[in-house]
Structure formats: structure tokens, C-alpha cells
Amino acid sequence: MKNLARAHWAAAALAIVVAAPCVAAPSRAVIVDIENASAQQVEAWRHAPGVESWVELGREMLLVGDTARIAQATGLGLAMRDIGAYRIDDLVLHLRGCAVDVTPDDLLVHTGGRYDLLVRPDAARLATLTHAEAEGLDEWIDVTPGMVVARQYRFDRPVALPADERITPLVARVDPARWFSDVETLAGWSRSTFSTELVSARQWIAARFASLGLEVSEPAFTFTYQGTRTANNVMGVVRGLQRPDDWVIVGGHYDSRQQDIMNPANAPGADDNASGCSAVLELARLFTRARPAATMIFMCYAGEEQNLFGSKAHVQALTAAGDLGKVKLVATLDMIGWSSSTNLSADLDTLSPFVATRNRFADAALTYVPGLTPVVSTIACCSDHIPYAQAGIPAVLSIHGNWQSYVHYHRTTDTPANLGVHAQSIGGAIMRMNVATVAGEAGPMDRIFDAGLETGE
Ligand SMILES: [Zn+2]
């Protein structure tokens, strides 16, 4: 959560104050929807007459410049959404879902995807920020010309790679209905870190792992959050038949929160993150039956909402045991249960050293889940992949697209019913992408075409 480079916004804000404006026609900033654009169109719009600078934001693009000229040159016209008279360095970026969610309303100029665009506060406004707002400044990112914050993967991979016949049958066995029933079970407990019901959820997850034949443990860890606290991860291990010292981790947090993070009650967390923890259970069910070549570790973490404490504890334990180097891949699932429409999309985030690994997930989507549109980014924050990635382990987060539009996020209304009619479609799609990618690392499977996998449901 706190991994982002400290933005040098304060110095830049001062520079703006002292620099005299020298451009006759004021620059304006516009947002263009590029969800259905071609790569060629996006490239042409970036360099259209009148464009001073551009920033790619996944399903949207920010253009700054002489907007009348841009409109004329591109024919975009009303498709350009004017957000104000800004130059590029007037703006900063904040990733939604980071540790601090207090963004001053008067500074917010655009909300799109996971990314809020804010106008830099001047010295006078800085002085009046509340303490909570000022805490969020650490997470602001400078907006620079030509920045690709997130990108639709299809632009760079217009043709999918061929499918692997050893992986297709496993992908086909993902059961979204079964997954949704687990989401309902978990959402039946208020899984706040401060709720006694979290223990019930933990015991249920452990029992599910045990019923699948996994080696189960519930390692405790302590952390500081308004006092010293203890919580438990739930871990299930299946030993690899051929490469036991190659480890693949599949994880997602099982704790939850409501708006008031200290209130233990009414935190059903269906999307965040019963959906991801239930996906861990579903992948555990599939992979234990298939008997993978590599060792697989299935993790449901606690303490995520207070700052990734469960995954940090796991990384510390791996490091202390000298096992970190065995971990070849970490697949993190957080918020996979909601879609605004039948257009299914997934954001795939990692840190920049692990772009190739991240792209394996995106390739898996194109090959095995053609209905799922991957959007890739290296501006990563906010979930349990971060501690692993920061420790040098390839770790990739899957999260559904457009999640800023899920109005129940961190609310008492994050219930299974409010996941809506597309829940099983998006959850199923994101699980299939993860199954295909993880199978590529943990395979080959011993029983993929075996009758045991076919009939042992
Ligand atoms: Zn979460």
C-alpha cells in the first residue's frame, strides 16, 4: 500500500506558483474513451495536431492541449469529455483502494478506472488539508507526458497464442456456481479483523482445505493497528509430485471491512474479498484433484484491510525459513465478483520487474477466456501481491475492471445479492484465467485426462 514513490508534488506546486503563464491559448484536458478503439486510433490520437501531451489510463486516455484543434483533427468531437483548463503538470494521480481513501472532493477532476485525477493543491489549499487528507498525499503520483498507467493488452497482442491441450480440460472444470455458493457462505460472517466471527470463517476455510486433502495450518502473526493484534492466515499445501521444491502460491484475503474500519459488525465483504478467497478454494479443489508437478500453496490471508499484514507475515516466514527462492509464481485474487455489464474485464497489476509474468495471465485470458478483456499495469498497489513482489517474487493481482463503479465497496451492502447478475460470469472468467496461468507453472498435471478428475467431483 505504501510502495508508491513519494510524489514530488509539493516542489512542483511551488514551481507552478512562481512560473508565469506564457501560452496564449490555455490548455484544456479531455478524457477520451478508448475501450472500443483500435491500437492505431489510439496511436493517431496521441499525436494529433493540438495535442501537447497524453496519458493512457487503460480504458480511457487523457489528452491535453488545444482541444478545438484536437477535435477537428481526430473527429472525436463530443466523445472528448472536457475536465477543465489544465496542463499536464497541474494534475496528479491517485490509485483507488490505496491505504488512504480520503481524496478532497474539490481537488478531484476525474474518476476513471482505478485512477482518480486530482488537481495539485496550491500552497493555500495545502495549508487547509485535513490530517486525513494530508496523509493521502504520500500516495499521489506525478502525472507525466506519455505515461502509460494501464493498457489494454489486446493493443499489443492482437492475436491470441494457441491453447495447450493439457491445460484446456482443467480450465473447463472451473465451477462458478460452486464458487458463488462459497462466496455466500463467507459473506454470512462479518469478517472484520476486529470481529469474533472472523474465527468462524477461518475455521470453515481450514476445514475446506482439509476436506480436499491439503496439509492445513493456521499460522498466527501479530501486527500493530491501534494496538497490538493477532490474526491467522489459513494455508493449505499440496506437495508437487515431480518438482516439490518449485512452489506456486495462490492467495486472496478472507478478512473484510465496512466503511468504519474499526466497526466489527456488518462487514460481509462479498466482493472484497469473499470472491477472491472462494476462488482460492475453487483452485485448490481443481489442482488437488489434478495432482500438479510443482508444490502449490493455497493462502487465505487475514489483516489485509489494515495494510497487507497477512501476506507480509507469509513473506517473512518464507524468508526466515530460507524458502523464498522456491516460490516461482504468486497469483493474487482480490475482488473478482462484479461486473457492470456483459463486457467482462480484468485488471492485472504487478511491479515493473514482473511484466513478463503478468503478461502470461493476460495471454491466458486471450487464449482460454476470450470473453475477458485484460488491462495491464505496473502501477501496482493495495493487495497481497505487493509484499511478494517487493521481495523479488513474480506476483500478479487479478481484480475485476471498473471497480470504482461498484458502489458497495467497503460498505455494509457488499453482499452476494449486490454482486448482481454478472457475478458468476466475471468470477468464472477470472478464475479460468488464473487456472490456465497457474497450470502453466505448476504443471504438467498427473491426472489431467484421468478418470479421477472427470468423475471425482
Ligand atoms: Zn480486498
Side-chain angles (χ1 to χ4, degrees), residues 253 272-273 304-305 334-335 382-383 410:
H253 70 94
D272 187 13
N273 183 34
E304 193 268 358
E305 297 291 1
D334 194 352
M335 297 178 69
C382 322
S383 192
H410 284 176

Side-chain angles (χ1 to χ4, degrees), residues 203-328:
Q203 290 168 343
W204 179 81
I205 295 163
R208 285 291 303 276
F209 279 164
S211 74
L212 295 168
L214 298 168
E215 296 167 27
V216 186
S217 58
E218 299 173 49
F221 59 92
T222 56
F223 61 100
T224 304
Y225 191 87
Q226 307 209 3
T228 302
R229 300 177 184 276
T230 302
N232 297 68
N233 291 332
V234 189
M235 176 158 72
V237 179
V238 55
R239 298 282 159 195
L241 290 182
Q242 296 159 35
R243 295 181 283 119
D245 286 336
D246 286 350
W247 293 4
V248 176
I249 297 171
V250 177
H253 70 94
Y254 72 98
D255 66 315
S256 177
R257 61 167 290 184
Q258 55 138 296
Q259 260 175 300
D260 174 3
I261 195 168
M262 297 307 293
N263 188 335
N266 301 319
D271 192 28
D272 187 13
N273 183 34
S275 69
C277 178
S278 297
V280 173
L281 293 172
E282 177 65 6
L283 266 70
R285 184 180 70 86
L286 290 169
F287 280 101
T288 47
R289 290 200 176 284
R291 301 203 304 201
T295 291
M296 297 190 68
I297 302 176
F298 298 92
M299 298 292 304
C300 287
Y301 310 100
E304 193 268 358
E305 297 291 1
Q306 283 70 41
N307 200 0
L308 318 177
F309 287 115
S311 45
K312 285 176 180 171
H314 189 219
V315 170
Q316 281 169 6
L318 290 166
T319 306
D323 287 332
L324 201 60
K326 295 178 181 172
V327 183
K328 307 304 177 199

Side-chain angles (χ1 to χ4, degrees), residues 6-16 92 120-122 126 129 134 136-142:
R6 176 183 267 274
H8 299 291
W9 53 270
L14 283 174
I16 291 164
V92 290
R120 285 178 198 279
D122 59 21
L126 268 178
L129 289 177
L137 299 179
D138 270 0
E139 297 178 345
W140 290 10
I141 302 168
D142 286 337

Side-chain angles (χ1 to χ4, degrees), residues 26-30 52-53 62-67 82-91 106-110 117-120:
S27 288
R28 296 198 72 84
V30 294
E52 285 171 20
S53 46
L62 170 72
L63 298 177
V64 177
D66 181 339
T67 50
D82 189 293
I83 59 170
Y86 302 114
R87 300 177 65 87
I88 199 96
D89 48 11
D90 295 338
L91 301 172
D106 61 311
L107 302 179
L108 186 65
V109 295
H110 178 66
L117 285 170
L118 300 124
V119 65
R120 285 178 198 279

